Amino acid sequence: MTKLSVNINKIATLRNARGGNIPNVVQVAKDIESFGAEGITVHPRPDERHITYQDVLNLSSALTTEFNIEGNPITKFVNLVLQVKPAQVTLVPDKEDAITSNAGWDTVKHKTYLKEIISVFKENNIRTSIFVDPDPEMIRAAVETGADRIELYTEAYAVSYAKGEKQGVMPYAECARIAHELGLEINAGHDLSLDNIKYFKQQVPHVDEVSIGHALISESLYTGLEKTIQQYLKLLK
Ligand SMILES: CC(=O)[C@@H](O)[C@H](O)COP(=O)(O)O
Ligand SMILES: NCC(=O)COP(=O)(O)O
């Protein structure tokens, strides 16, 4: 079964727009859990443009489902994750000024670095996932970093699907098979949506978790959070 982890970055974007506490990020996260989501994902960026480090601390004591914290493992991020000890940390090679996540790790070039960082989280019993492009070479090298999971970066799939190029899913299916054979668990995320999730789920085997935020929150503006989440859960069955 593929679990749904809802990324609530954009709830914090709306909250920050007015500088107050509406919408209340912690309350929305708890409500999302009550609507059936199996996890909450946040990506506290260095500039705290949406989720703040304080949000992460507040959420950590309030959530009852899996907490997944994503980010580039700069020192303050590592310290935050070790303080919170979430179910999962997802390492993303984002530049500080990136408008959003836009690349996976080069797990060949950064193998030693990733191995060192991942060992710290594993010593603290935190599941580790690394954000990667659907490239078999990157998947094979990911095993040597000691990561528990990979997260397939699905923007390229979303773009190809939107253009009607369904063959864009093929690298993901191939990489999922390779990862599974190598003993890696598999997550996926970025630009997944109600339009493209069903085909991805049908074509890509062994996906343990998808983390979805931008599209889900946008779709919720029309159909509400509860109904939108239940639509995703139905498509992920
Ligand atoms: C890793 C990933 O693809 C998403 O979590 C992305 O980081 C979303 O970040 P923004 O919400 O800042 O676009
Ligand atoms: N890891 C992907 C994620 O958490 C959400 O990405 P998006 O759905 O906001 O593009």
Side-chain angles (χ1 to χ4, degrees):
M1 186 186 93
T2 301
K3 293 185 176 180
L4 172 66
S5 184
V6 176
N7 184 311
I8 59 171
N9 291 349
K10 300 303 166 355
I11 302 295
T13 298
L14 181 57
R15 187 262 329 262
N16 294 355
R18 186 59 67 87
N21 197 31
I22 298 175
N24 180 309
V25 166
V26 171
Q27 187 57 54
V28 173
K30 289 164 71 175
D31 291 340
I32 285 171
E33 291 182 315
S34 73
F35 299 152
E38 290 114 339
I40 296 293
T41 291
V42 295
H43 193 140
R45 294 186 178 273
D47 61 9
E48 298 188 304
R49 66 189 71 164
H50 38 54
I51 290 287
T52 67
Y53 277 47
Q54 188 57 52
D55 285 329
V56 176
L57 298 173
N58 296 343
L59 286 161
S60 66
S61 56
L63 299 181
T64 56
T65 61
E66 283 210 346
F67 195 16
N68 173 39
I69 305 177
E70 299 187 334
N72 190 322
I74 59 176
T75 301
K76 71 176 186 176
F77 175 84
V78 173
N79 292 336
L80 174 70
V81 173
L82 292 178
Q83 181 179 351
V84 166
K85 292 187 175 53
Q88 178 175 269
V89 61
T90 301
L91 305 183
V92 188
D94 286 353
K95 290 186 172 50
E96 293 210 16
D97 61 352
I99 187 172
T100 186
S101 302
N102 54 17
W105 286 100
D106 181 334
T107 54
V108 176
K109 182 177 175 183
H110 297 117
K111 190 183 306 176
T112 303
Y113 169 71
L114 287 168
K115 199 168 181 178
E116 288 168 4
I117 291 280
I118 286 167
S119 65
V120 171
F121 292 127
K122 288 176 82 88
E123 284 160 17
N124 284 274
N125 300 311
I126 301 167
R127 184 197 307 140
T128 56
S129 178
I130 52 177
F131 198 60
V132 292
D133 294 303
D135 177 334
E137 185 184 13
M138 296 300 120
I139 307 303
R140 292 191 179 93
V143 177
E144 297 170 56
T145 68
D148 299 300
R149 296 193 178 183
I150 55 165
E151 177 173 342
L152 293 170
Y153 170 34
T154 48
E155 179 180 0
Y157 161 70
V159 169
S160 63
Y161 188 86
K163 291 191 287 189
E165 298 165 0
K166 290 197 169 182
Q167 69 275 18
V169 78
M170 292 170 66
Y172 295 87
E174 179 192 13
C175 285
R177 290 190 187 93
I178 292 168
H180 184 71
E181 286 164 12
L182 293 170
L184 284 167
E185 295 178 319
I186 301 154
N187 294 346
H190 203 94
D191 287 339
L192 292 174
S193 70
L194 283 174
D195 287 340
N196 63 36
I197 189 66
K198 184 176 180 179
Y199 188 67
F200 188 85
K201 167 72 176 164
Q202 288 171 340
Q203 298 298 316
V204 183
H206 315 303
V207 177
D208 295 287
E209 175 188 285
V210 290
S211 43
I212 306 176
H214 194 86
L216 186 150
I217 302 301
S218 303
E219 291 151 351
S220 298
L221 295 175
Y222 291 92
T223 53
L225 264 176
E226 183 169 13
K227 184 175 177 184
T228 303
I229 286 167
Q230 286 163 0
Q231 286 174 321
Y232 275 102
L233 292 171
K234 189 175 176 184
L235 293 169
L236 288 168
K237 284 202 181 320

